[in-house]
Amino acid sequence: MIRAVLFDVGGTLHEVHHSPELEASFCQRLLDLLSAHGIALPVTAAELAPRLHENAEAYKHWSEGSRLELPSAKIWSEYYLKEFHLSEELLAPISEELSWMYDAVRVENVPRPHMRETIRALHDAGLTLGIISNIISTTFVPRLLEDYGIADLMSCVILSSTAGIRKPDAAIFEKAAAECGVPCGEMAYVGDTLSRDVLGCRNAGVALSIQISNPSIAHRDTAFTGTGLAPDVLIHDLSEIPGIIRAFNAR
Protein backbone atom coordinates (compact mmCIF):
# COMPACT_ATOMS: atom_id res chain seq x y z
CA MET A 1 0.00 0.00 0.00
CA ILE A 2 1.38 3.39 -1.02
CA ARG A 3 0.76 5.96 1.70
CA ALA A 4 3.24 8.65 0.64
CA VAL A 5 4.43 10.14 -2.65
CA LEU A 6 7.69 12.09 -2.69
CA PHE A 7 9.14 14.15 -5.52
CA ASP A 8 12.39 15.34 -7.00
CA VAL A 9 12.31 19.03 -7.99
CA GLY A 10 14.51 20.04 -10.95
CA GLY A 11 13.43 18.16 -14.07
CA THR A 12 10.42 16.71 -12.24
CA LEU A 13 8.20 19.43 -10.78
CA HIS A 14 9.63 21.78 -13.37
CA GLU A 15 11.71 21.66 -16.51
CA VAL A 16 15.07 23.44 -16.45
CA HIS A 17 15.90 25.52 -19.53
CA HIS A 18 19.41 26.78 -20.29
CA SER A 19 20.59 29.59 -22.55
CA PRO A 20 23.82 31.53 -23.09
CA GLU A 21 21.96 34.74 -22.22
CA LEU A 22 20.86 33.41 -18.83
CA GLU A 23 24.36 32.10 -18.13
CA ALA A 24 25.91 35.49 -18.95
CA SER A 25 23.36 37.36 -16.82
CA PHE A 26 23.99 35.01 -13.90
CA CYS A 27 27.76 35.40 -14.12
CA GLN A 28 27.46 39.19 -14.15
CA ARG A 29 25.17 39.13 -11.10
CA LEU A 30 27.62 36.81 -9.38
CA LEU A 31 30.51 39.20 -10.07
CA ASP A 32 28.43 42.16 -8.90
CA LEU A 33 27.49 40.40 -5.66
CA LEU A 34 31.09 39.48 -4.94
CA SER A 35 32.21 43.04 -5.70
CA ALA A 36 29.58 44.47 -3.37
CA HIS A 37 31.17 42.41 -0.61
CA GLY A 38 34.68 43.57 -1.39
CA ILE A 39 35.66 40.60 -3.56
CA ALA A 40 36.69 41.82 -7.02
CA LEU A 41 37.52 39.00 -9.40
CA PRO A 42 39.93 39.73 -12.30
CA VAL A 43 37.60 38.23 -14.89
CA THR A 44 34.65 39.23 -17.08
CA ALA A 45 31.29 37.48 -17.06
CA ALA A 46 32.06 36.01 -20.48
CA GLU A 47 35.36 34.62 -19.20
CA LEU A 48 33.84 33.28 -16.00
CA ALA A 49 30.96 31.33 -17.61
CA PRO A 50 32.99 28.44 -19.14
CA ARG A 51 35.19 28.16 -16.03
CA LEU A 52 32.17 27.98 -13.77
CA HIS A 53 30.55 25.31 -15.95
CA GLU A 54 33.70 23.18 -15.96
CA ASN A 55 34.17 23.55 -12.20
CA ALA A 56 30.52 22.74 -11.49
CA GLU A 57 30.82 19.57 -13.57
CA ALA A 58 33.91 18.58 -11.57
CA TYR A 59 31.97 19.04 -8.33
CA LYS A 60 29.01 17.10 -9.71
CA HIS A 61 31.34 14.23 -10.63
CA TRP A 62 32.88 14.23 -7.16
CA SER A 63 29.57 14.48 -5.32
CA GLU A 64 27.94 11.74 -7.39
CA GLY A 65 30.86 9.45 -6.61
CA SER A 66 30.97 10.25 -2.90
CA ARG A 67 27.20 10.74 -2.47
CA LEU A 68 28.06 13.66 -0.19
CA GLU A 69 27.02 17.33 -0.34
CA LEU A 70 29.55 19.84 0.95
CA PRO A 71 28.58 23.08 2.74
CA SER A 72 27.96 25.83 0.21
CA ALA A 73 30.94 27.99 1.20
CA LYS A 74 33.24 25.01 0.66
CA ILE A 75 31.67 24.26 -2.74
CA TRP A 76 32.26 27.81 -3.95
CA SER A 77 35.75 27.99 -2.47
CA GLU A 78 37.12 24.60 -3.52
CA TYR A 79 35.20 23.97 -6.73
CA TYR A 80 33.11 26.66 -8.41
CA LEU A 81 35.56 29.55 -7.89
CA LYS A 82 38.69 27.53 -7.19
CA GLU A 83 40.98 29.50 -9.55
CA PHE A 84 40.57 32.61 -7.41
CA HIS A 85 41.71 31.01 -4.12
CA LEU A 86 38.91 32.50 -2.03
CA SER A 87 38.62 31.10 1.47
CA GLU A 88 35.47 29.53 2.89
CA GLU A 89 35.46 32.18 5.61
CA LEU A 90 35.47 34.97 3.04
CA LEU A 91 32.63 33.43 1.03
CA ALA A 92 30.52 32.19 3.95
CA PRO A 93 28.40 35.38 4.35
CA ILE A 94 27.20 35.22 0.72
CA SER A 95 27.57 31.53 -0.17
CA GLU A 96 23.86 30.77 0.26
CA GLU A 97 22.87 33.72 -1.91
CA LEU A 98 25.33 32.53 -4.57
CA SER A 99 23.86 29.02 -4.33
CA TRP A 100 20.29 30.27 -4.59
CA MET A 101 21.24 32.32 -7.66
CA TYR A 102 22.84 29.26 -9.24
CA ASP A 103 19.45 27.52 -9.50
CA ALA A 104 17.15 30.55 -9.66
CA VAL A 105 19.00 32.92 -12.02
CA ARG A 106 21.37 30.80 -14.12
CA VAL A 107 18.48 28.84 -15.67
CA GLU A 108 14.75 29.24 -16.35
CA ASN A 109 12.55 26.93 -14.31
CA VAL A 110 9.24 26.19 -16.05
CA PRO A 111 6.61 24.26 -14.04
CA ARG A 112 5.58 20.96 -15.61
CA PRO A 113 2.04 20.84 -17.02
CA HIS A 114 -0.54 19.80 -14.41
CA MET A 115 2.02 20.03 -11.57
CA ARG A 116 -0.17 21.91 -9.10
CA GLU A 117 -3.31 19.94 -9.96
CA THR A 118 -1.49 16.64 -9.50
CA ILE A 119 -0.02 17.62 -6.13
CA ARG A 120 -3.43 18.80 -4.95
CA ALA A 121 -5.16 15.63 -6.16
CA LEU A 122 -2.67 13.39 -4.33
CA HIS A 123 -3.02 15.44 -1.16
CA ASP A 124 -6.81 15.36 -1.35
CA ALA A 125 -6.63 11.59 -1.76
CA GLY A 126 -5.07 11.40 1.71
CA LEU A 127 -1.50 10.71 0.65
CA THR A 128 1.46 12.16 2.51
CA LEU A 129 3.62 14.29 0.22
CA GLY A 130 7.24 15.38 0.35
CA ILE A 131 10.41 16.39 -1.46
CA ILE A 132 13.87 14.84 -1.78
CA SER A 133 16.21 17.07 -3.77
CA ASN A 134 19.92 17.15 -4.56
CA ILE A 135 20.73 20.87 -4.44
CA ILE A 136 23.51 23.10 -3.11
CA SER A 137 21.12 25.80 -1.81
CA THR A 138 19.19 25.52 1.44
CA THR A 139 16.60 28.16 0.46
CA PHE A 140 15.88 27.60 -3.24
CA VAL A 141 13.44 24.70 -2.83
CA PRO A 142 11.45 26.14 0.11
CA ARG A 143 11.08 29.46 -1.73
CA LEU A 144 10.10 27.65 -4.93
CA LEU A 145 7.43 25.58 -3.19
CA GLU A 146 5.97 28.80 -1.78
CA ASP A 147 5.98 30.36 -5.24
CA TYR A 148 4.24 27.29 -6.66
CA GLY A 149 1.61 27.42 -3.92
CA ILE A 150 2.27 23.87 -2.71
CA ALA A 151 4.53 24.40 0.33
CA ASP A 152 1.71 23.76 2.79
CA LEU A 153 0.98 20.38 1.16
CA MET A 154 4.46 18.98 1.84
CA SER A 155 4.98 17.00 5.03
CA CYS A 156 8.75 16.87 4.57
CA VAL A 157 11.36 18.67 2.48
CA ILE A 158 14.70 16.86 2.49
CA LEU A 159 17.59 18.63 0.79
CA SER A 160 21.09 17.32 0.22
CA SER A 161 22.37 20.76 1.24
CA THR A 162 21.06 20.28 4.78
CA ALA A 163 21.31 16.48 5.03
CA GLY A 164 24.91 16.37 3.75
CA ILE A 165 24.12 13.31 1.63
CA ARG A 166 22.82 12.96 -1.92
CA LYS A 167 20.66 10.66 -3.94
CA PRO A 168 21.12 7.80 -4.77
CA ASP A 169 22.29 7.13 -1.20
CA ALA A 170 19.62 5.17 0.65
CA ALA A 171 20.09 7.31 3.76
CA ILE A 172 18.47 10.41 2.24
CA PHE A 173 15.36 8.40 1.29
CA GLU A 174 15.27 6.84 4.76
CA LYS A 175 15.53 10.28 6.35
CA ALA A 176 12.58 11.48 4.27
CA ALA A 177 10.55 8.39 5.14
CA ALA A 178 11.20 8.93 8.85
CA GLU A 179 10.15 12.58 8.68
CA CYS A 180 6.99 11.67 6.77
CA GLY A 181 6.21 8.85 9.21
CA VAL A 182 5.94 6.30 6.39
CA PRO A 183 8.40 3.45 5.72
CA CYS A 184 10.17 3.32 2.36
CA GLY A 185 8.19 0.17 1.60
CA GLU A 186 4.98 2.24 1.60
CA MET A 187 6.36 5.14 -0.42
CA ALA A 188 6.42 6.12 -4.10
CA TYR A 189 9.10 8.43 -5.47
CA VAL A 190 8.93 10.49 -8.65
CA GLY A 191 12.13 11.67 -10.35
CA ASP A 192 13.63 12.14 -13.79
CA THR A 193 16.94 10.23 -13.62
CA LEU A 194 18.05 6.63 -13.41
CA SER A 195 21.37 7.52 -11.79
CA ARG A 196 19.93 9.41 -8.82
CA ASP A 197 16.21 8.76 -8.56
CA VAL A 198 15.55 5.21 -9.76
CA LEU A 199 18.80 3.86 -8.30
CA GLY A 200 18.08 5.64 -5.04
CA CYS A 201 14.66 3.99 -4.87
CA ARG A 202 16.26 0.59 -5.39
CA ASN A 203 18.93 1.26 -2.75
CA ALA A 204 16.35 2.31 -0.17
CA GLY A 205 13.66 -0.28 -0.94
CA VAL A 206 11.10 2.30 -2.06
CA ALA A 207 7.92 0.49 -3.07
CA LEU A 208 7.25 2.30 -6.35
CA SER A 209 9.74 4.15 -8.57
CA ILE A 210 8.17 6.51 -11.09
CA GLN A 211 10.41 8.19 -13.69
CA ILE A 212 9.17 11.15 -15.69
CA SER A 213 10.70 11.48 -19.14
CA ASN A 214 13.32 14.21 -19.45
CA PRO A 215 15.44 13.89 -22.62
CA SER A 216 17.56 16.92 -21.67
CA ILE A 217 19.34 14.99 -18.91
CA ALA A 218 19.60 11.60 -20.64
CA HIS A 219 23.38 12.06 -20.90
CA ARG A 220 23.59 11.77 -17.11
CA ASP A 221 22.34 8.18 -17.31
CA THR A 222 24.49 6.74 -20.10
CA ALA A 223 26.48 4.63 -17.63
CA PHE A 224 23.30 2.68 -16.86
CA THR A 225 22.47 1.75 -20.45
CA GLY A 226 22.12 -2.00 -20.70
CA THR A 227 22.36 -2.60 -16.95
CA GLY A 228 18.70 -3.48 -16.51
CA LEU A 229 18.06 -0.57 -14.14
CA ALA A 230 14.61 0.79 -14.92
CA PRO A 231 11.73 2.49 -13.09
CA ASP A 232 8.61 0.59 -12.17
CA VAL A 233 6.67 3.10 -14.29
CA LEU A 234 7.79 5.61 -16.93
CA ILE A 235 5.49 8.60 -17.39
CA HIS A 236 5.38 11.65 -19.63
CA ASP A 237 3.01 13.85 -17.62
CA LEU A 238 2.59 14.32 -13.88
CA SER A 239 -1.17 13.93 -14.25
CA GLU A 240 -0.62 10.18 -14.74
CA ILE A 241 0.48 9.72 -11.13
CA PRO A 242 -2.84 9.62 -9.22
CA GLY A 243 -4.13 6.83 -11.45
CA ILE A 244 -0.88 4.88 -11.06
CA ILE A 245 -1.12 5.11 -7.27
CA ARG A 246 -4.77 4.03 -7.31
CA ALA A 247 -3.96 1.04 -9.51
CA PHE A 248 -1.02 0.02 -7.33
CA ASN A 249 -3.08 0.21 -4.14
CA ALA A 250 -5.96 -1.71 -5.73
CA ARG A 251 -3.79 -4.75 -6.34
Side-chain angles (χ1 to χ4, degrees):
M1 173 72 74
I2 298 297
R3 296 197 291 125
V5 182
L6 279 75
F7 292 84
D8 173 45
V9 177
T12 301
L13 294 185
H14 61 234
E15 296 176 334
V16 180
H17 297 171
H18 299 258
S19 75
E21 293 77 18
L22 285 171
E23 188 79 26
S25 176
F26 163 71
C27 286
Q28 188 58 58
R29 283 187 58 173
L30 183 152
L31 290 172
D32 291 344
L33 177 61
L34 290 170
S35 179
H37 286 78
I39 308 169
L41 299 188
V43 66
T44 66
E47 293 167 339
L48 179 60
R51 293 190 195 183
L52 186 60
H53 175 75
E54 182 178 339
N55 293 344
E57 287 297 303
Y59 176 69
K60 183 179 287 291
H61 179 75
W62 177 85
S63 62
E64 288 179 350
S66 67
R67 299 184 182 179
L68 299 175
E69 194 79 89
L70 298 177
S72 61
K74 195 175 188 71
I75 295 171
W76 286 97
S77 172
E78 296 189 2
Y79 283 92
Y80 287 13
L81 298 175
K82 67 178 184 179
E83 293 92 344
F84 306 103
H85 308 289
L86 306 173
S87 69
E88 290 180 53
E89 292 74 20
L90 184 63
L91 291 171
I94 56 172
S95 62
E96 173 52 36
E97 188 171 358
L98 290 170
S99 299
W100 173 82
M101 286 169 53
Y102 189 80
D103 281 295
V105 176
R106 185 182 56 90
V107 296
E108 180 186 15
N109 299 304
V110 180
R112 288 263 193 178
H114 312 115
M115 181 268 292
R116 295 177 182 86
E117 301 95 316
T118 298
I119 296 294
R120 176 62 66 180
L122 293 169
H123 179 268
D124 290 349
L127 293 157
T128 298
L129 304 180
I131 298 290
I132 307 174
S133 177
N134 284 354
I135 193 159
I136 65 172
S137 168
T138 59
T139 60
F140 174 78
V141 170
R143 290 168 67 173
L144 190 82
L145 296 176
E146 290 286 352
D147 289 345
Y148 287 169
I150 58 174
D152 61 330
L153 305 182
M154 298 296 167
S155 295
C156 71
V157 177
I158 305 299
L159 310 176
S160 62
S161 53
T162 54
I165 47 178
R166 292 171 57 92
K167 299 176 292 182
D169 197 292
I172 196 167
F173 290 85
E174 292 162 356
K175 179 176 177 63
E179 290 206 13
C180 285
V182 176
C184 289
E186 296 181 6
M187 188 169 83
Y189 186 73
V190 186
D192 64 324
T193 65
L194 292 173
S195 54
R196 297 187 292 272
D197 302 314
V198 176
L199 181 59
C201 287
R202 297 292 177 255
N203 290 340
V206 171
L208 182 62
S209 170
I210 302 173
Q211 183 183 13
I212 187 164
S213 177
N214 184 4
S216 69
I217 52 82
H219 63 285
R220 299 287 184 194
D221 289 338
T222 54
F224 293 91
T225 302
T227 65
L229 181 67
D232 296 310
V233 184
L234 178 66
I235 63 173
H236 299 281
D237 193 290
L238 293 172
S239 63
E240 300 172 55
I241 297 172
I244 291 168
I245 301 301
R246 286 194 299 270
F248 185 95
N249 285 344
R251 293 191 307 188

